[in-house]
Amino acid sequence: MDDLKTNANLLKYWNLTRGGNRKSLTIQEIMSLGQHVTCFDVFPRGQNAIHWTDAFIDLNLNSVVYQSFPDIIQDSLPSFSEEKGISNNSISFKVSNIDNSVQILALGNGLFKAKVNIIMVILDPYTTTPIYQMLMFSGFIDYCQATADPNQKVTELTINVNSIYQKLDVQTRTIASDSVYQSYYPGDAFMSLLGQVNQANQEWKMK
């Protein structure tokens, strides 16, 4: 991202709109220019991938065309922060102006467990071509909820996405020990019983 600080077109745009003769910009100043958009990869199981962007025009990113289709409702996307630990933090966001085909696919469980990538993209202010991209979040769709009101002309889709670490919520110790044990003794599922042994409410009876 350091290359962006001295990007010629970003500097030209800054000097044009903010004044001055800057030779470099900070990351905060680059983000304040409003030249960043969000791209979404959705990979439904057994179906073709869907690529969306909240940009005003279609974008070509890594030879993939991202269609300018849904609108991300303002402030529905959470803020992202870098973490040193590993945890399964799910996110929820809304998209509007969805068509019937997407709504039917979502409510018909067609998007369940579909992988989702959320990518931040910075555009050249003069050519609108992507000059930088960063993967902000990756996970799997847990559920979708649609809201449709023909009278108010509102069609919204709320999407809840679990992170790629969703399996951390399922007996972490059992998964690790069972996989290691079966690497030595293929097919022997003895260690999978640890999930039962470790249950707090497990009752042990003896004669």
Side-chain angles (χ1 to χ4, degrees):
M1 201 170 189
D2 288 340
D3 293 341
L4 291 176
K5 298 178 180 179
T6 55
N7 181 275
N9 280 355
L10 289 179
L11 287 170
K12 180 180 177 181
Y13 187 72
W14 175 276
N15 293 331
L16 176 67
T17 58
R18 307 295 175 89
N21 187 27
R22 297 289 297 274
K23 301 300 182 182
S24 66
L25 300 172
T26 65
I27 300 301
Q28 290 77 10
E29 289 171 338
I30 292 172
M31 299 304 294
S32 72
L33 289 173
Q35 298 302 309
H36 58 283
V37 297
T38 308
C39 290
F40 299 82
D41 294 319
V42 182
F43 300 97
R45 295 183 297 178
Q47 300 187 48
N48 293 331
I50 303 171
H51 304 284
W52 287 327
T53 178
D54 61 356
F56 291 120
I57 61 173
D58 293 350
L59 296 180
N60 191 311
L61 186 66
N62 300 327
S63 300
V64 175
V65 176
Y66 287 78
Q67 185 180 6
S68 177
F69 170 60
D71 297 324
I72 303 301
I73 297 179
Q74 187 175 10
D75 297 329
S76 70
L77 267 178
S79 59
F80 298 99
S81 60
E82 185 176 351
E83 297 182 3
K84 293 182 179 179
I86 297 177
S87 59
N88 178 27
N89 296 322
S90 63
I91 67 170
S92 181
F93 60 92
K94 295 181 180 181
V95 293
S96 64
N97 296 335
I98 58 174
D99 60 16
N100 289 334
S101 61
V102 176
Q103 184 174 352
I104 293 172
L105 179 65
L107 298 183
N109 249 10
L111 296 181
F112 181 64
K113 295 302 180 184
K115 184 176 181 181
V116 175
N117 294 326
I118 300 178
I119 307 167
M120 181 194 71
V121 180
I122 296 179
L123 305 178
D124 186 301
Y126 293 97
T127 64
T128 66
T129 56
I131 57 177
Y132 178 80
Q133 62 179 343
M134 174 185 288
L135 179 64
M136 303 299 294
F137 188 87
S138 185
F140 299 88
I141 292 179
D142 191 18
Y143 66 85
C144 299
Q145 181 179 4
T147 302
D149 188 346
N151 296 325
Q152 299 297 327
K153 296 182 180 180
V154 174
T155 306
E156 298 175 357
L157 183 67
T158 301
I159 301 175
N160 190 79
V161 184
N162 269 330
S163 76
I164 57 175
Y165 301 114
Q166 59 180 335
K167 284 194 173 182
L168 290 181
D169 292 341
V170 187
Q171 293 290 345
T172 310
R173 293 168 297 185
T174 303
I175 293 174
S177 59
D178 185 47
S179 60
V180 172
Y181 186 82
Q182 289 206 38
S183 68
Y184 288 99
Y185 307 100
D188 188 344
F190 172 78
M191 296 298 284
S192 64
L193 296 176
L194 284 179
Q196 300 298 322
V197 175
N198 290 331
Q199 287 184 4
N201 60 352
Q202 180 70 44
E203 293 184 7
W204 295 92
K205 297 180 179 181
M206 59 183 299
K207 293 182 180 179

